[in-house]
Amino acid sequence: MQHQQPAPYTSSLRSLSVSVYLPTFLFAVGQGAVIPIVALQATSLGASLAVAGIIVALRGIGVLAFDVPAGWLVARFGERRAMTAGTLMVIGSLAGSAWSPNPFIFGLFTLLMGCGWSVWLLARLTFVTETVPMQLRGRALSTLGGMNRAGNFVGPFAGVLVATFAGLDGAYYVHMASALLATACLIAFVRDAGGAPAGHGHTNFPAIVRENATVFMTAGIGATAIQALRATRQSVLPLWAVHVGLDATAVSLIFGISMAMEMVLFYPAGSAMDRWGRKSVAIPCLTIMSIGMVLLPLTDEFWSLAVVGLIIGFGNGLGSGIVMTLGADFSPVVGRAQFLGAWRVFGDLGTAGGPLAVAGLTALVTLGGASVAMGGVGAVGAALIFFRMPEPLK
């Protein structure tokens, strides 16, 4: 169950600008540049389409597989060292990816990239959890989500610009440069938040899981549902657009409209979390995204699909930072990093499992049926949070 932390020392979001938000934006720009071209890079090295798909999945597998070890690293060495180590691991994997001679080596470095991202993400979340008081935490973490979205939006354009001079490898150079700048910010401005030894106490990981089993089986499953819908949106929307005969330009425009909706909502979402509680955001987030998924099979042209994209983007934008905030709220003082490592496993299972569920359901029924089924997953998650999850602010 939840234990309150000692008095935190961050009293405004401005104090996180250069220690958290700027590195997050820089890192996300690099991510946004690299993620779209991983499959293209793999095929350029001679991988088949099937192998390229596996290599793309290795990044997410690396993130998921390293969530628990990342928790141990943060608990052992502190947020500052862990974030710096994570970024350096990513930089090394980017260099290896850019200079890989064959798909096998490229796949290994893609897996390593995911591991580095996992360390960075967990250390960053632990740092904000330790330093921000609960009454400001929703705004702090929704702004973090907003910076991530903004960076991911800018990243592909930066990658395309550099690619005109450096080819596909240019995206990796963009991420290397942004990660180096992020590392410089971390070294210069981040000080470990674990002033209280309890924050980084060494705790038996299975014991942490057992003691917080109720949280994981309620809020954790809700987080899995949120992340599953988010990941599903990224696969179902373009697939349905192709199904109804839209071209790549139309798909990109629909995604751009949806992402713009998300980016303008991050701060109102955080304010709502801090004013009315976490459920006031988590339940509408899941419900609205679920409605969008159920409506998707009813669309048959650009404008109707764009409206559904806006609905899903609105729901996703309302949930900016909600998964991180719930994890921060329920994390105990002793063993916090280990708890957050386990918490990230639940979210990453949704991220990895959502698209896989869509693929399986599409094979069994239809793409439209898969979309409706994922809407049902969101509805179950919303009901679980409404009826079973305690409100952290109370």
Side-chain angles (χ1 to χ4, degrees):
M1 294 302 293
Q2 175 187 339
H3 304 282
Q4 291 300 316
Q5 62 201 55
Y9 59 75
T10 293
S11 58
S12 70
L13 300 185
R14 187 176 303 171
S15 62
L16 299 174
S17 297
V18 292
S19 62
V20 174
Y21 296 142
L22 180 57
T24 294
F25 176 77
L26 291 169
F27 217 76
V29 168
Q31 285 181 325
V34 164
I35 289 173
I37 61 94
V38 171
L40 297 176
Q41 184 83 337
T43 55
S44 73
L45 292 171
S48 66
L49 290 178
V51 171
I54 293 172
I55 290 174
V56 170
L58 285 175
R59 178 185 63 86
I61 292 170
V63 173
L64 178 61
F66 222 69
D67 281 335
V68 173
W72 178 85
L73 287 172
V74 174
R76 178 68 178 82
F77 298 106
E79 298 95 351
R80 182 172 183 260
R81 289 180 181 177
M83 275 192 279
T84 303
T87 53
L88 292 176
M89 189 186 304
V90 169
I91 291 167
S93 68
L94 290 166
S97 297
W99 303 326
S100 291
N102 58 61
F104 179 75
I105 300 297
F106 179 69
L108 288 179
F109 279 115
T110 302
L111 180 70
L112 181 64
M113 188 191 310
C115 296
W117 280 352
S118 182
V119 176
W120 152 259
L121 292 168
L122 183 68
R124 184 190 64 180
L125 175 56
T126 306
F127 177 77
V128 176
T129 302
E130 293 277 2
T131 58
V132 176
M134 181 174 277
Q135 63 269 22
L136 190 62
R137 195 177 281 160
R139 280 163 287 175
L141 289 170
S142 68
T143 302
L144 193 63
M147 291 298 102
N148 202 59
R149 285 172 168 81
N152 284 333
F153 184 77
V154 171
F157 299 104
V160 168
L161 181 64
V162 176
T164 58
F165 305 101
L168 282 177
D169 291 347
Y172 289 93
Y173 300 144
V174 168
H175 199 355
M176 277 190 270
S178 68
L180 281 169
L181 289 172
T183 304
C185 291
L186 296 174
I187 292 173
F189 299 111
V190 173
R191 296 293 176 266
D192 280 336
H200 293 306
H202 294 285
T203 308
N204 181 273
F205 179 78
I208 286 287
V209 174
R210 286 195 303 270
E211 290 169 7
N212 296 277
T214 302
V215 170
F216 289 130
M217 290 299 103
T218 53
I221 293 176
T224 303
I226 292 171
Q227 294 297 83
L229 287 183
R230 286 172 170 169
T232 297
R233 183 273 306 263
Q234 295 177 349
S235 61
V236 168
L237 265 179
L239 288 173
W240 189 259
V242 171
H243 174 72
V244 299
L246 300 182
D247 59 17
T249 301
V251 174
S252 297
L253 186 55
I254 289 169
F255 258 95
I257 292 170
S258 182
M259 289 184 67
M261 173 65 79
E262 292 177 23
M263 285 191 288
V264 300
L265 287 173
F266 72 86
Y267 193 80
S271 297
M273 276 192 274
D274 287 338
R275 179 173 297 183
W276 298 308
R278 313 321 191 198
K279 287 187 176 185
S280 71
V281 163
I283 295 169
C285 166
L286 277 165
T287 303
I288 294 170
M289 282 200 290
S290 297
I291 290 170
M293 288 292 176
V294 172
L295 292 176
L296 184 68
L298 303 179
T299 64
D300 57 3
E301 41 81 36
F302 175 84
W303 289 110
S304 58
L305 188 56
V307 169
V308 168
L310 276 174
I311 291 171
I312 298 174
F314 182 74
N316 194 21
L318 277 180
S320 179
I322 183 60
V323 173
M324 291 186 290
T325 303
L326 288 174
D329 287 344
F330 286 115
S331 62
V333 172
V334 178
R336 173 166 283 143
Q338 294 97 323
F339 174 93
L340 291 174
W343 177 261
R344 279 194 50 80
V345 168
F346 278 82
D348 289 337
L349 280 172
T351 301
L356 290 176
V358 167
L361 288 167
T362 300
L364 288 173
V365 282
T366 62
L367 180 60
S371 182
V372 172
M374 293 308 295
V377 169
V380 170
L384 189 64
I385 288 175
F386 181 80
F387 291 108
R388 301 297 298 169
M389 188 190 86
E391 170 55 57
L393 286 189
K394 293 182 180 178

